[in-house]
Amino acid sequence: MKKPDRPEIPRKTIYRLSIYLRCLARLKDNAIRTVSSEALAKVAGVKSTQLRKDLTYFGQFGTRGLGYDVEQLSAMITNELGTKSLQPVVLVGVGNLGLALLSYRGFEKEGFEIVAAFDLDPKRRRDKKITQPILGMDQLADVIREKNVKMAILTVAVAAAQEVTNTLVTCGITGILNFAPLVLHVPEEVMVNNVNLAIELENLSYFIQGG
Amino acid sequence: MKKPDRPEIPRKTIYRLSIYLRCLARLKDNAIRTVSSEALAKVAGVKSTQLRKDLTYFGQFGTRGLGYDVEQLSAMITNELGTKSLQPVVLVGVGNLGLALLSYRGFEKEGFEIVAAFDLDPKRRRDKKITQPILGMDQLADVIREKNVKMAILTVAVAAAQEVTNTLVTCGITGILNFAPLVLHVPEEVMVNNVNLAIELENLSYFIQGG
DNA sequence: CCTTGTGAATACGTTCACAGCT
DNA sequence: AGCTGTGAACGTATTCACAAGG
């Protein structure tokens, strides 16, 4: 099920598109209607040629001698990223980090809704009020099917991560945002994005002390 | 202040070293003493040639026909990453995410200690018990100097992020783990690692629905 | 025979240089 | 004149193919 007509867009380009989108949103807030690749690239932290190259994967959107229409470019990227409609997500593993993400307001704003959280012990005492229901793992399959969920946030302990992942895949999840510090093994059609906080720190630490 | 003698190790290699280290730790737990590049690469989710190439940047550690000594390789990587000694870190911005990270036990295990947290309103009511002190921004400079802190975790709101960053840089911080969804502008000698949760989800979303 | 270590080949991503609009 | 759009050049990272060692 590959997209044949388009010349295979690099992962990194897609990633940067998300960044551009956020920069454009801030320009809009400041009532700026037009922006040059030079200016936008500056705030996005990339070179202007890179920005332009990134955009050419999707067509031509600028006016030579003038720049880009903020509103229009913003709409194009939103459309390409497919974040127009609210997308349902489940979260599995309601520990410290899971709880924090459940109360994190940053997701909805970007078009994602955590429709439910799951935990081995859903009744466990948690000292924080959240709006989403915390359900037992036995209800996972039903919710995923009913709400047509495709993505999951995984915040369980390392020991449980691979097993839970297998369950998620069986239930039809095809995208996993994994916070557990291990490499998940999944079928080819499933995509995993890892966020490993300890590694990020370790990485910083290496480079700042004269690697 | 560049390292001259070594042939410039790729960023991605350093990143993978952290992954190998975690895989080796699990092998050690299972009392496995020797591992082939093939086997280790498998659990680390990379190709065996890549693993071997990564290691050659640091020397020769394997025995042909046999593989690598788990303990020895583990020690080598730990040594290279410089995570032998406990490193002090400060956290700025004690909101939902900040609180969660303060109670996250994963850092210490990897050699990092959050020595203090800072917030504009340190006395604000927080429904969670944590062990680290929450201090006002006015004490930031003192703590950083006293404890010789070089790294900071930034979990403040977007609106405050750049200003807080400037302060951190002034205080001598040279490594920032940034959770605020914007591109921070810092002097060249300061390194920023970004963790943007909304972007990770957006990215997944793009690729799973037949990008 | 098995597995490492590595130069060479390849693939990929970025930057340059400049042609082409407005 | 100013800024976009893009093929070509460059640099970097990955993979191959195989020589070398236990």
Side-chain angles (χ1 to χ4, degrees):
Chain A
M1 253 272 234
K2 271 270 183 66
K3 199 69 164 270
D5 60 59
R6 250 195 328 233
E8 204 62 61
I9 294 143
R11 267 189 82 108
K12 291 193 167 182
T13 292
I14 298 300
Y15 204 91
R16 284 190 297 264
L17 243 41
S18 287
I19 296 173
Y20 302 152
L21 191 53
R22 276 153 191 77
C23 296
L24 287 166
R26 290 175 69 198
L27 292 178
K28 258 197 281 187
D29 289 347
N30 290 27
I32 294 168
R33 311 192 70 116
T34 285
V35 68
S36 70
S37 64
E38 194 72 54
L40 182 53
K42 183 81 156 273
V43 298
V46 302
K47 286 220 158 59
S48 67
T49 48
Q50 175 134 83
L51 167 57
R52 292 203 300 274
K53 178 70 92 178
D54 282 339
L55 296 181
T56 55
Y57 287 109
F58 305 95
Q60 305 182 181
F61 305 94
T63 313
R64 295 171 195 223
L66 230 145
Y68 299 90
D69 181 292
V70 172
E71 186 67 53
Q72 184 197 328
L73 188 58
S74 195
M76 182 285 276
I77 296 178
T78 302
N79 180 57
E80 282 300 334
L81 292 178
T83 32
K84 293 144 298 185
S85 58
L86 203 65
Q87 252 195 86
V89 181
V90 294
L91 182 145
V92 186
V94 189
N96 276 325
L97 190 58
L99 259 184
L101 294 182
L102 286 173
S103 14
Y104 182 54
R105 299 287 117 228
F107 290 135
E108 298 157 22
K109 222 174 41 193
E110 309 293 348
F112 300 100
E113 187 198 4
I114 302 180
V115 294
F118 298 88
D119 199 283
L120 272 172
D121 182 2
K123 296 273 172 257
R124 182 171 59 181
R125 212 168 172 1
R126 291 175 177 94
D127 52 1
K128 196 167 210 5
K129 289 139 206 84
I130 51 163
T131 57
Q132 302 93 340
I134 302 182
L135 310 173
M137 295 299 288
D138 51 321
Q139 296 179 66
L140 187 57
D142 285 344
V143 173
I144 289 176
R145 188 167 5 88
E146 272 169 37
K147 307 245 182 186
N148 192 31
V149 180
K150 292 283 168 242
M151 303 200 293
I153 299 174
L154 190 64
T155 46
V156 302
V158 175
Q162 184 60 59
E163 194 189 326
V164 170
T165 298
N166 298 344
T167 307
L168 287 169
V169 170
T170 305
C171 293
I173 292 292
T174 52
I176 298 175
L177 183 53
N178 173 42
F179 287 83
L182 86 167
V183 176
L184 295 177
H185 288 264
V186 295
E188 213 190 338
E189 71 273 16
V190 177
M191 177 154 174
V192 177
N193 272 11
N194 294 295
V195 175
N196 192 321
L197 304 176
I199 289 187
E200 295 296 332
L201 267 190
E202 207 165 274
N203 197 249
L204 265 185
S205 147
Y206 176 85
F207 284 104
I208 68 175
Q209 53 199 3
Chain B
M1 250 266 245
K2 270 276 182 60
K3 199 68 165 270
D5 60 61
R6 246 186 341 222
E8 205 61 60
I9 295 143
R11 267 189 80 110
K12 291 194 167 181
T13 292
I14 298 300
Y15 203 93
R16 282 190 297 264
L17 244 42
S18 287
I19 296 173
Y20 303 151
L21 191 53
R22 277 153 191 77
C23 295
L24 287 165
R26 290 175 68 199
L27 293 177
K28 259 197 280 188
D29 289 348
N30 290 27
I32 295 168
R33 314 192 67 117
T34 286
V35 68
S36 71
S37 64
E38 195 71 54
L40 181 53
K42 183 79 157 272
V43 299
V46 301
K47 287 223 157 62
S48 67
T49 48
Q50 175 136 80
L51 167 56
R52 294 204 299 276
K53 179 70 93 179
D54 281 340
L55 296 181
T56 56
Y57 286 109
F58 305 94
Q60 304 183 183
F61 305 95
T63 313
R64 295 175 194 224
L66 231 146
Y68 300 89
D69 181 294
V70 172
E71 187 67 53
Q72 183 196 327
L73 188 58
S74 195
M76 182 285 276
I77 296 178
T78 301
N79 180 56
E80 283 299 335
L81 291 179
T83 32
K84 292 144 298 189
S85 57
L86 202 64
Q87 252 194 86
V89 181
V90 293
L91 182 145
V92 186
V94 190
N96 276 325
L97 191 57
L99 260 183
L101 295 182
L102 286 173
S103 13
Y104 182 55
R105 299 289 114 226
F107 290 135
E108 299 156 21
K109 222 173 44 194
E110 309 294 348
F112 300 99
E113 188 199 4
I114 302 179
V115 294
F118 298 87
D119 199 284
L120 271 173
D121 183 2
K123 295 275 172 257
R124 181 172 58 181
R125 217 173 167 357
R126 291 175 177 94
D127 51 0
K128 197 166 207 10
K129 290 139 205 79
I130 50 164
T131 57
Q132 302 93 339
I134 302 182
L135 310 174
M137 295 298 288
D138 50 320
Q139 298 180 66
L140 187 56
D142 285 345
V143 173
I144 288 177
R145 189 166 5 85
E146 273 169 36
K147 307 246 183 183
N148 192 31
V149 179
K150 291 283 167 242
M151 302 200 295
I153 299 173
L154 190 63
T155 45
V156 301
V158 175
Q162 184 61 59
E163 195 189 326
V164 171
T165 298
N166 297 345
T167 307
L168 288 169
V169 170
T170 306
C171 293
I173 291 293
T174 54
I176 298 176
L177 184 53
N178 173 41
F179 287 82
L182 84 167
V183 177
L184 295 176
H185 288 264
V186 295
E188 214 191 339
E189 70 272 17
V190 177
M191 178 156 173
V192 177
N193 272 10
N194 294 296
V195 175
N196 192 320
L197 304 176
I199 288 187
E200 294 297 333
L201 268 189
E202 209 166 271
N203 197 249
L204 265 184
S205 147
Y206 176 86
F207 284 104
I208 68 176
Q209 52 201 3

